[in-house]
Amino acid sequence: QVGVTSLVLLALLNTGMTAQDAPIQRGLEWLRSNQSDLTYEVSLKIQAFAAAKDGKTDIARVATLVRVLEGGQLANGSWTYGPNPRGLFNAAGDRSNAQFAVLGLREAQEMGVPVSLEVWRKARGHFLSAQNADGGWDYTGERGGNSTGSMTVAGLATVVITEAMLKAEENHLNRDGTPKCCDAPEDPAVLEKALRWMGNNFTVRFNPTTGRAPANGWVLDRKSTRLNSSHTVISYAVFC
């Protein structure tokens, strides 16, 4: 499976293996030969190619995958599973698929593959408008639902990432053309409310407020993202 293979490659690459190692080479070749249009899998495939740092080998592939994610964004700025896979299509999308799409697009842009500014704007607008009054986010729908830990960290990450990507429009770029990601946030109240929700509800025993143990969860350690002087990094767990 594209998603599982991508996750395994990400895990191995993050342990110090490289694109020169035979198992990684075999996995990358398999990914290059097998296609998917599902949001989770497209995103993970981009992330695996980005982590491999295999020169310019996969730039064209990643550009094609970016177009798939851009084309899959819904009118409200969210994403769903893809083109109606096994009847799972949700016309309103969900914030689990949405944050995976954002993660993949962020990795693509940092590889040098351009992503439409309108895609970033719509994704950011969706998450800002969907934040619940308590500071958290829920899985789908408009604000007012049941905030969960997994979707709140997804919201936190998406707000920070989309702001960084949009600053490229204002020429907030590093010398190599990649966007600066560590400036002070434009929406501190949004982040403060979300961080407060996480502080009040965080537990390692289960996904906060759902009561479900994270047996099917995985932890993704993102690059350090400076929020402000009192909040230095976000590292977040995504619970399935």
Side-chain angles (χ1 to χ4, degrees), residues 198-212:
M198 287 300 299
N200 291 336
N201 293 279
F202 182 78
T203 174
V204 296
R205 296 177 55 233
F206 49 81
N207 185 4
T209 78
T210 68
R212 292 184 300 178

Side-chain angles (χ1 to χ4, degrees), residues 143-230:
R143 68 178 65 188
N146 180 42
S147 297
T148 68
S150 54
M151 293 300 95
T152 298
V153 287
L156 268 166
T158 299
V159 169
V160 172
I161 290 170
T162 53
E163 178 179 320
M165 298 301 107
L166 285 168
K167 283 184 176 179
E169 184 178 33
E170 303 169 6
N171 294 319
H172 287 234
L173 301 174
N174 296 311
R175 288 187 177 183
D176 62 358
T178 57
K180 293 181 179 178
C181 63
C182 300
D183 291 342
E186 292 182 357
D187 297 290
V190 170
L191 301 178
E192 291 288 348
K193 287 173 59 179
L195 288 166
R196 189 178 304 114
W197 188 95
M198 287 300 299
N200 291 336
N201 293 279
F202 182 78
T203 174
V204 296
R205 296 177 55 233
F206 49 81
N207 185 4
T209 78
T210 68
R212 292 184 300 178
N216 296 319
W218 59 281
V219 176
L220 183 61
D221 183 18
R222 303 306 304 168
K223 296 177 181 177
S224 296
T225 303
R226 188 170 300 278
L227 299 180
N228 56 40
S229 58
S230 61

Side-chain angles (χ1 to χ4, degrees), residues 63-156:
T64 298
L65 295 171
V66 165
R67 302 292 89 78
V68 172
L69 290 179
E70 288 181 331
Q73 189 178 35
L74 303 174
N76 68 354
S78 188
W79 277 264
T80 186
Y81 289 88
N84 201 26
R86 299 181 295 280
L88 294 174
F89 181 82
N90 179 351
D94 64 78
R95 282 175 276 280
S96 178
N97 274 288
Q99 57 99 16
F100 263 84
V102 167
L103 292 175
L105 291 171
R106 197 277 285 271
E107 293 302 314
Q109 186 149 322
E110 296 217 342
M111 288 178 71
V113 176
V115 176
S116 166
L117 286 168
E118 185 60 22
V119 168
W120 294 126
R121 288 192 193 97
K122 287 171 63 178
R124 181 175 180 79
H126 172 77
F127 274 85
L128 290 177
S129 67
Q131 186 178 30
N132 292 328
D134 62 7
W137 281 267
D138 62 344
Y139 178 71
T140 190
E142 302 300 325
R143 68 178 65 188
N146 180 42
S147 297
T148 68
S150 54
M151 293 300 95
T152 298
V153 287
L156 268 166

Side-chain angles (χ1 to χ4, degrees), residues 31-100:
L31 280 185
R32 291 163 183 151
S33 302
N34 290 270
Q35 310 307 316
S36 174
D37 56 5
L38 303 183
T39 302
Y40 286 126
E41 296 192 330
V42 172
S43 171
L44 286 167
K45 196 172 187 180
I46 292 173
Q47 293 178 65
F49 287 147
K53 298 181 176 66
D54 196 11
K56 300 292 184 181
T57 304
D58 296 302
I59 290 292
R61 292 183 181 87
V62 169
T64 298
L65 295 171
V66 165
R67 302 292 89 78
V68 172
L69 290 179
E70 288 181 331
Q73 189 178 35
L74 303 174
N76 68 354
S78 188
W79 277 264
T80 186
Y81 289 88
N84 201 26
R86 299 181 295 280
L88 294 174
F89 181 82
N90 179 351
D94 64 78
R95 282 175 276 280
S96 178
N97 274 288
Q99 57 99 16
F100 263 84

